[in-house]
Amino acid sequence: MNPLKRLGRRRASVLSLLAVAALVTPGAATAAPDAVRASTLGAQAAQSGRYFGTAVAAGRLGDGTYTGILDREFNSVTPENEMKWDTIERSRGSFNFGPGDQIANRAASHGQRLRGHTLVWHSQLPSWVSSIRDANTLRSVMNNHITQVMNHYKGKVYAWDVVNEAFADGGSGQMRSSVFRDVLGTGFIEQAFRTARSADPAAKLCYNDYNIENWSDAKTQGVYRMVRDFKARGVPIDCVGLQSHFGAGGPPSSFQTTLSNFAALGVDVQITELDIAQASTAAYANTVRACLNVARCTGITVWGIRDSDSWRSGENPLLFDRSGNKKPAYQSTLTALGGSAAAQRTGAPSPRSATALPSSFRWSSSGPLVAPKPDATHRIAGIKDPSVVYYNGKYHVFASTASPSGYNLVYLSFSDWSQAGSATHHYLDRTAIGAGYRAAPQVFYNTQQRLWYLVYQTGNASYSTNPDISNPNGWSAPRNFYSSMPDIIRQNIGNGYWVDMWVICDSANCYLFSSDDNGHLYRSQTTVGQFPNGFTNTVIAAQDSKYALFEASNVYKVQGSNQYLLLVEAIGSDGRRYFRSWTSSSLAGSWSPLAASESNPFAKSSNVTFPAGTWTRDISHGEMIRAGYDQTLTIPACKLQYLYQGKDPNAGGDYDNLPWRLGLLTQTNSTC
C-alpha cells in the first residue's frame, strides 16, 4: 500500500500490458505429484499445526526409494546417529559436522523441520569422555560440546534432545548411573539445559526418554518430578520427548493421560521415536489420536522409514515394508491424522482433490462492514489494508488509517461480523508503535516464540511483537527486518515505492515478500530459528508489467495440500483494483497461473455479486480468513472468505482522502 499513489493517470495502456497470462519467474521448481499433495503424513499433520517426521540415516540418502518416501511423506527429520557425540566429537576438541550437515542441509532444501538428536547421552559416547573422573574437566567438556554443536546448527534446528535417557529402568524413579551423573551429580541435567539455552535461545530444549509412556510407572513419575521442579525454578525446558518404542499392543491405556499431565506443566510433548512391533493398525491409530487429543503434543517422529531401516527390523515395526510399499498401518495413521488415501499407481492420472482450489472463482460481497471512526486527534478519511485472524472466539482486525495528514494503524475485535461496525477502534499511534508513517499491517502468531507479530511498512519493513493480541497497548516499538532497502529492490524499483511486506513460514524457513508498484514481487528468506533476524538472499520472485503485478501480495498455505496460493493486486483496464492468483508447491519455487487474468480474475467486481447493492467497483488490498492464526498462514481450500477494502465508485480526488471501507467476500462456487 503506497500512500502517494494517484489513480487518474493509469488508464491508457493497461489492457495491452495485461496480455501476459503468467508471471515470469526465475528458477523454476519441480512440483510434487498431484496424487500426494493432500494425502501424506506430513501434510495432514501440518493441518493441525503439527509435524510428522522420521529418523534419517545419511548413509541411505543415495537410495532412491528411501529418499522418495522421505521427500513425499515427512515434514520433519531427526538424524539417527549423525549428531551423536561419537560421530561429532570422536576426539576432544575435534568436531566432524559432515554427516550431520548432509542431513541438515537436505532438510532445509526440502522445507523439512529438523530435530537435533542428541547432545548429552551416556551411550554412543567416546571413551575419552566416559573415562573422565574430574568434575571440572567433565563439566567443561560437556558445556563445550553443547555450545559448539548448537552454535554450528543455530537457526537450523527446531528442537534439541538436550539430554537423552538419563533415568533408570525399574522401580527406583531415579537417574541411571552414567559418567555424567556419577561425576557431576544429578545437577548435570540442569547444567546441560542452561548451557543449551545460552547457546541457542531460539531452539526448543527437550528431555527425551523411553518407557515413560505409562503414567503409573516409577520412571515416568521420576521424569515428571524433574520437569515440574525445572518449571518451578525457571530451569529452561520446553518439551518432553516420549520415544514410544511399543510392543504389538501399542501404547498403554494411560498414554494420553501421560501426555496431558506433562503438557499441563507448561511444556510441549513430542512422540520422538515411534515404532510398534508388527505395526498394528489399531496401535498406530491409537498413538496418533492420543497426540491429536493433547493440544501441546506438537509432533510425531517414527524411528525409520522402511522395516529394513529399523533397529527393530525383525519385528517389522514401521509404516513401509522392505520394498517401500505402504502397509495397512500407514493408512490407519493417515486416517487418524485426518487424511485420505492417495493414488498409488505409478503414472496413473492424478484425481483432482475434492478440496482443490478451482480454476475460477465467484464471490458474494457484504456491504461495508467497517468504516472510520474519527475522534478529536484522528481525522480519518479511509480505513484500509486489513489483516485478520480468528483467535479465542474473536476476529482480530488490524488496518491502516488514511488521512491527508498521514497513515497509521488501528485495531478492533468482535465475535461476529454483524458486530464489526460497532467495535471500538484502538489507535496504535497511542502505543509504543508510535506516531508517524505505519501502514499495511499483517498479523500472525509465532508458535516457536509464543509471540504475536505485527508486520507493517514504515519506509522499511518493520514489525512489533505482543504476547497478547487482545491488548492493544502490548505492542513493542517498531523494529526493522532490514538495515536498509536490499540492493536488488533499489536497482529495480524505478519510480515505484517499496510496499506491502508479507511474512510466511514453512517448517524450515520464513520468507518476506514485498512489492514495488513497478511490476516486481521480491522475496527474502531466513531460517525459522533465526526469525525475525537474518533476512537475506533477496530475489525477484516474480515479475510482470507494472499494473499487472502492482502491490498488496498475499501468500498462503492451502490446507490439506502441499500447495501455496499467491494473490497480487492489479489495476484493470477500467482503472479499478482487482486480484490475480497463482499457485506453487514451494514458497521458494515458481508460480503457475490459477485465476490470473482480467477476464478470469481471482476477485474483481465482474465476478462478485452485491446483494445489498454495489457499493464498490474496486476489490483491493485485504486478507483471507485463515484456518488458523500461526506463521504458516494456512487457509481452507474451499468456502473461502476475503476481507477487503472498497470505496464508493464515484469517489475521486486525492488518494490519501479516498473513503475506503472494509467488506467481506464469501466464495459462492465452493466445491465442498
Side-chain angles (χ1 to χ4, degrees):
M1 190 284 302
N2 168 30
L4 304 178
K5 295 189 290 287
R6 302 291 183 270
L7 292 177
R9 292 169 284 181
R10 293 186 176 152
R11 308 295 198 265
S13 60
V14 177
L15 184 59
S16 61
L17 294 175
L18 288 171
V20 180
L23 293 177
V24 179
T25 54
T30 302
D34 287 343
V36 301
R37 284 184 176 173
S39 53
T40 63
L41 300 168
Q44 292 302 331
Q47 304 321 307
S48 62
R50 295 171 170 85
Y51 64 82
F52 200 101
T54 186
V56 173
R60 294 189 175 94
L61 293 177
D63 181 332
T65 302
Y66 182 90
T67 55
I69 300 170
L70 171 62
D71 297 346
R72 185 186 74 221
E73 295 289 343
F74 301 102
N75 61 351
S76 172
V77 299
T78 303
E80 191 167 356
N81 293 297
E82 290 77 3
M83 290 185 181
K84 292 173 180 172
W85 201 316
D86 65 351
T87 296
I88 282 187
E89 194 185 6
R90 186 174 292 275
S91 58
R92 184 172 180 176
S94 179
F95 290 87
N96 172 27
F97 294 112
D101 286 352
Q102 186 180 357
I103 293 175
N105 294 337
R106 193 181 192 284
S109 69
H110 286 77
Q112 293 163 317
R113 182 175 291 183
L114 183 67
R115 295 192 78 262
H117 177 79
T118 174
L119 295 168
V120 179
W121 185 30
H122 66 276
S123 188
Q124 291 184 239
L125 194 64
S127 59
W128 69 267
V129 181
S130 57
S131 62
I132 295 173
R133 291 295 175 265
D134 176 73
N136 289 334
T137 301
L138 183 59
R139 186 177 299 108
S140 175
V141 162
M142 181 183 76
N143 290 343
N144 182 65
H145 181 80
I146 293 169
T147 301
Q148 295 298 324
V149 175
M150 292 188 74
N151 279 342
H152 180 81
Y153 289 108
K154 185 178 291 187
K156 296 182 178 180
V157 170
Y158 154 72
W160 275 102
D161 292 331
V162 178
V163 177
N164 193 48
E165 300 178 2
F167 277 74
D169 295 320
S172 72
Q174 303 299 311
M175 294 181 194
R176 71 168 68 243
S177 174
S178 71
V179 64
F180 300 106
R181 194 213 66 173
D182 297 346
V183 175
L184 298 177
T186 57
F188 84 90
I189 301 181
E190 178 176 341
Q191 177 70 59
F193 275 86
R194 292 193 183 277
T195 301
R197 178 67 89 221
S198 296
D200 186 354
K204 286 189 176 290
L205 308 182
C206 308
Y207 175 77
N208 191 55
D209 216 327
Y210 66 95
N211 285 354
I212 59 169
E213 296 82 15
N214 186 10
W215 175 242
S216 63
D217 285 354
K219 186 175 182 179
T220 307
Q221 292 298 309
V223 174
Y224 179 83
R225 286 192 297 270
M226 179 191 73
V227 176
R228 183 178 61 191
D229 172 63
F230 279 10
K231 295 299 291 186
R233 293 191 295 110
V235 179
I237 184 170
D238 303 308
C239 56
V240 173
L242 297 91
Q243 293 183 14
S244 305
H245 297 295
F246 295 135
S253 59
S254 64
F255 184 48
Q256 185 175 316
T257 298
T258 304
L259 295 174
S260 296
N261 286 343
F262 274 114
L265 294 176
V267 294
D268 293 342
V269 287
Q270 300 172 355
I271 299 173
T272 54
E273 303 181 19
L274 177 64
D275 47 25
I276 302 176
Q278 309 311 322
S280 158
T281 57
Y284 263 103
N286 289 340
T287 303
V288 170
R289 280 193 289 266
C291 178
L292 265 61
N293 287 339
V294 177
R296 293 198 69 157
C297 184
T298 57
I300 299 171
T301 298
V302 288
W303 205 246
I305 295 178
R306 303 164 300 192
D307 287 333
S308 54
D309 307 316
S310 172
W311 69 299
R312 304 168 66 186
S313 61
E315 297 175 287
N316 298 322
L318 296 175
L319 300 176
F320 297 86
D321 67 21
R322 294 164 193 269
S323 298
N325 299 309
K326 297 171 183 176
K327 296 162 62 174
Y330 171 93
Q331 186 56 50
S332 70
T333 299
L334 186 63
T335 300
L337 288 167
S340 59
Q344 298 183 37
R345 287 185 295 133
T346 303
S350 301
R352 185 176 180 86
S353 169
T355 58
L357 293 172
S359 57
S360 62
F361 293 84
R362 301 292 300 176
W363 307 89
S364 176
S365 177
S366 70
L369 297 176
V370 180
K373 293 187 176 182
D375 62 18
T377 57
H378 298 86
R379 295 179 59 245
I380 298 166
I383 186 165
K384 55 200 309 285
D385 316 319
S387 181
V388 56
V389 292
Y390 186 76
Y391 172 73
N392 201 23
K394 290 186 175 182
Y395 292 99
H396 300 263
V397 175
F398 296 80
S400 304
T401 56
S403 71
S405 60
Y407 284 72
N408 207 273
L409 305 175
V410 67
Y411 162 72
L412 56 151
S413 64
F414 44 86
S415 300
D416 185 83
W417 290 106
S418 63
Q419 303 168 353
S422 59
T424 300
H425 287 203
H426 301 273
Y427 296 107
L428 299 186
D429 60 351
R430 294 170 173 167
T431 73
I433 287 175
Y437 176 51
R438 288 94 170 91
Q442 180 212 4
V443 69
F444 62 87
Y445 184 67
N446 186 299
T447 54
Q448 281 73 37
Q449 300 173 19
R450 299 174 191 168
L451 280 174
W452 290 94
Y453 273 78
L454 191 65
V455 176
Y456 47 93
Q457 63 191 50
T458 58
N460 200 328
S462 301
Y463 68 93
S464 296
T465 59
N466 189 344
D468 180 5
I469 192 174
S470 64
N471 177 16
N473 295 313
W475 293 102
S476 67
R479 304 181 183 95
N480 292 337
F481 288 110
Y482 305 94
S483 59
S484 61
M485 181 187 291
D487 288 343
I488 192 169
I489 301 179
R490 184 178 294 106
Q491 293 159 7
N492 288 276
I493 196 169
N495 293 322
Y497 301 90
W498 187 27
V499 295
D500 298 338
M501 291 71 186
W502 183 270
V503 171
I504 180 172
C505 306
D506 59 25
S507 60
N509 296 301
C510 292
Y511 299 85
L512 197 161
F513 291 84
S514 60
S515 300
D516 68 358
D517 287 353
N518 194 30
H520 302 98
L521 179 70
Y522 301 99
R523 184 190 70 238
S524 304
Q525 74 181 73
T526 188
T527 62
V528 167
Q530 286 180 300
F531 180 82
N533 303 308
F535 274 106
T536 56
N537 191 31
T538 304
V539 299
I540 298 174
Q543 63 187 54
D544 205 330
S545 58
K546 177 173 182 174
Y547 301 129
L549 195 71
F550 198 62
E551 61 180 28
S553 67
N554 294 186
V555 189
Y556 302 100
K557 176 72 167 64
V558 180
Q559 191 173 42
S561 73
N562 288 336
Q563 188 178 56
Y564 293 91
L565 173 69
L566 166 66
L567 308 179
V568 182
E569 186 175 316
I571 301 176
S573 57
D574 57 0
R576 301 297 186 181
R577 304 299 184 98
Y578 75 100
F579 278 96
R580 304 171 67 200
S581 61
W582 299 262
T583 60
S584 176
S585 61
S586 167
L587 288 169
S590 60
W591 296 93
S592 301
L594 182 62
S597 66
E598 191 167 7
S599 60
N600 181 30
F602 180 78
K604 192 178 190 296
S605 59
S606 58
N607 67 338
V608 176
T609 59
F610 296 87
T614 304
W615 64 277
T616 180
R617 290 297 185 191
D618 292 275
I619 308 297
S620 185
H621 193 143
E623 191 183 357
M624 284 286 185
I625 308 302
R626 301 178 221 157
Y629 49 83
D630 69 11
Q631 69 277 358
T632 64
L633 307 188
T634 300
I635 60 169
C638 58
K639 299 180 181 177
L640 301 177
Q641 290 188 300
Y642 192 79
L643 184 65
Y644 73 103
Q645 66 179 35
K647 63 177 176 62
D648 182 343
N650 297 315
D654 186 272
Y655 186 82
D656 299 345
N657 212 33
L658 291 173
W660 294 101
R661 305 290 186 263
L662 304 185
L664 183 68
L665 297 180
T666 298
Q667 185 187 5
T668 58
N669 68 329
S670 177
T671 57
C672 57

